[in-house]
């Protein structure tokens, strides 16, 4: 494998048909290549390998996320060698070419978020379908300027690392194709996303001009939300160690819950936001 390179897609409208796989998207021509590649990896890993329904793979967060895709240069056979059946002599050698293949992806979801999952809750396609604990704070959404909806800034339940108020960003949909695992690819992706956020700390801070000062102030207790270095992830049980290697810690108060039939843990990482980088 040659030196992998990483591509970033910043938030953008995505005309995606949820029920269809990446190869059958009717608006493929108007979709950014990076996003098609991210969805190709996500489909291979989450849909084909983990049996998550195709329709649950894309969600309303995707257009407001930043996405990273990592590519490997792979030598692939474009036509096999032709040999003489009688003598075995090679009439035409194998022809190959080097192609960039998407092998991993991660996305970064900006704040605001729906409430933290309930301890012991069971979620399918982002919706709570059963729970043994008390109800979560109400999950409300507001319309954005481009016609999509996003969760409202409302106080959440406090956990070990999150006071329930501070804006945080969430890394998710971390996936590496099977044949490229165990080579530090996930680590590279997570570190790239964390570094980008650390160096663009105000990227997702909403401006009163976009959402209206009164609405933002009301939603957020009178102060404007500002990102101050807090990152979260909802880690699949088997991936906890991978996130720990990237500096995330399990949040004991957040508890565990089921998403798409897989046990999940809440984890947080705090990074130092350089003052001079603020406002970039
Ligand atoms: C989880 C996943 C993304 C890891 O990808 P990867 O490229 O193999 O991970 P890396 O090689 O970067 O591993 C990062 C670190 O975690 C460790 N690690 C990786 N997989 C591990 C495992 N299953 N158990 C324990 N440690 C593991 C590695 O040793 C490495 O540590 P190091 O930096 O000290 O060498 C990949 O296995 C995958 O796509 N799994 C299916 C989808 C999934 O579970 N996604 C996570 C959703 S939260």
């Amino acid at each position: 494998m040659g030196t992998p390179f990483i591509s970033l897609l910043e938030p953008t409208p995505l005309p995606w048909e949820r029920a269809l796989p990446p190869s059958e998207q009717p608006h493929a021509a108007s979709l950014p290549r990076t996003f098609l590649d991210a969805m190709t990896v996500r489909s291979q890993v989450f849909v084909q390998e983990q049996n998550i329904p195709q329709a649950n793979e894309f969600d309303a967060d995707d257009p407001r996320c930043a996405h990273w895709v990592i590519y490997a240069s792979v030598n692939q056979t474009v036509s096999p060698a032709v040999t003489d059946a009688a003598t075995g002599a090679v009439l035409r050698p194998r022809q190959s070419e080097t192609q960039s293949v998407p092998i991993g992806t991660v996305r970064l979801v900006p704040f605001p978020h729906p409430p933290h999952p309930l301890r012991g809750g069971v979620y399918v396609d982002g919706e709570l379908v059963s729970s043994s604990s008390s109800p979560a704070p109400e999950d409300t959404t507001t319309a954005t300027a481009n016609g999509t909806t996003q969760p409202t800034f409302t106080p959440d339940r406090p956990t070990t690392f999150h006071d329930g108020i501070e804006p945080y960003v969430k890394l998710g949909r971390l996936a590496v194709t099977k044949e490229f695992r165990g080579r530090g690819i996930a680590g590279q992706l997570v570190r790239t996303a964390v570094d980008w956020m650390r160096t663009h700390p105000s990227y997702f801070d909403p401006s009163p001009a976009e959402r209206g000062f009164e609405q933002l102030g009301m939603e957020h207790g009178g102060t404007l939300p500002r990102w101050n270095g807090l990152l979260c992830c909802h880690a699949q049980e088997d991936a906890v160690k991978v996130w720990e290697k990237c500096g995330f810690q399990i949040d004991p108060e957040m508890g565990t819950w089921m998403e798409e039939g897989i046990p999940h843990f809440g984890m947080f990482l705090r990074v130092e936001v350089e003052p001079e980088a603020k406002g970039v």
Side-chain angles (χ1 to χ4, degrees):
M1 180 175 86
T3 310
F5 72 93
I6 297 180
S7 168
L8 161 65
L9 175 70
E10 297 184 32
T12 187
L14 298 166
W16 191 266
E17 295 287 337
R18 291 192 76 193
L20 299 176
S23 56
E24 293 171 27
Q25 287 298 313
H27 309 293
S30 55
L31 282 162
R33 182 77 245 165
T34 305
F35 188 69
L36 271 170
D37 291 339
M39 291 304 285
T40 300
V41 173
R42 279 162 52 172
S43 289
Q44 278 171 27
V45 172
F46 296 119
V47 179
Q48 287 159 32
E49 207 182 304
Q50 297 192 335
N51 295 320
I52 292 169
Q54 180 72 59
N56 299 3
E57 198 26 56
F58 180 91
D59 68 12
D61 278 334
D62 275 312
R64 68 187 188 110
C65 283
H67 301 264
W68 286 265
V69 175
I70 189 163
Y71 296 83
S73 295
V74 176
N75 199 269
Q76 290 183 327
T77 300
V78 287
S79 64
V82 178
T83 51
D84 186 302
T87 64
V90 176
L91 301 176
R92 202 189 64 210
R94 178 180 78 96
Q95 288 182 318
S96 64
E97 65 183 29
T98 303
Q99 289 175 340
S100 285
V101 179
I103 58 168
T105 189
V106 69
R107 75 176 189 181
L108 189 152
V109 192
F111 50 91
H113 302 279
H116 295 311
L118 288 179
R119 288 165 163 272
V122 177
Y123 293 79
V124 175
D125 197 14
E127 299 293 331
L128 182 65
V129 293
S130 87
S131 124
S132 52
S133 48
S134 52
E138 201 183 340
D139 181 3
T140 52
T141 57
T142 50
T144 62
N146 66 6
T148 59
T149 58
Q150 65 175 34
T152 305
F153 287 96
T154 43
D156 205 344
R157 70 180 167 100
T159 69
T160 309
F161 297 120
H162 183 226
D163 62 5
I165 306 285
E166 181 181 347
Y168 64 92
V169 297
K170 194 175 99 181
L171 290 182
R173 300 292 204 274
L174 174 65
V176 173
T177 55
K178 236 179 186 171
E179 56 275 43
F180 288 94
R181 290 186 192 152
R183 304 188 198 186
I185 301 292
Q188 271 193 63
L189 278 165
V190 172
R191 276 190 297 277
T192 300
V194 171
D195 270 359
W196 180 84
M197 198 60 225
R198 208 172 43 74
T199 51
H200 299 74
S202 61
Y203 186 92
F204 293 113
D205 291 347
S207 74
E210 274 168 25
R211 296 193 63 185
F213 183 81
E214 269 187 30
Q215 188 188 15
L216 273 177
M218 277 164 49
E219 287 174 3
H220 206 65
T223 53
L224 290 177
R226 293 274 170 261
W227 187 70
N228 197 32
L230 191 61
L231 298 107
C232 173
C233 74
H234 293 174
Q236 290 189 10
E237 191 171 31
D238 286 349
V240 164
K241 288 263 177 336
V242 177
W243 290 102
E244 281 178 341
K245 294 268 183 181
C246 297
F248 284 76
Q249 285 178 275
I250 286 185
D251 185 313
E253 275 301 314
M254 218 157 137
T256 62
W257 64 95
M258 300 293 281
E259 271 176 44
E260 309 293 340
I262 300 169
H264 278 70
F265 289 74
M267 301 179 80
F268 280 93
L269 167 69
R270 164 116 19 218
V271 294
E272 195 61 41
V273 174
E274 296 160 26
E276 65 272 24
K278 278 187 173 166
V280 171

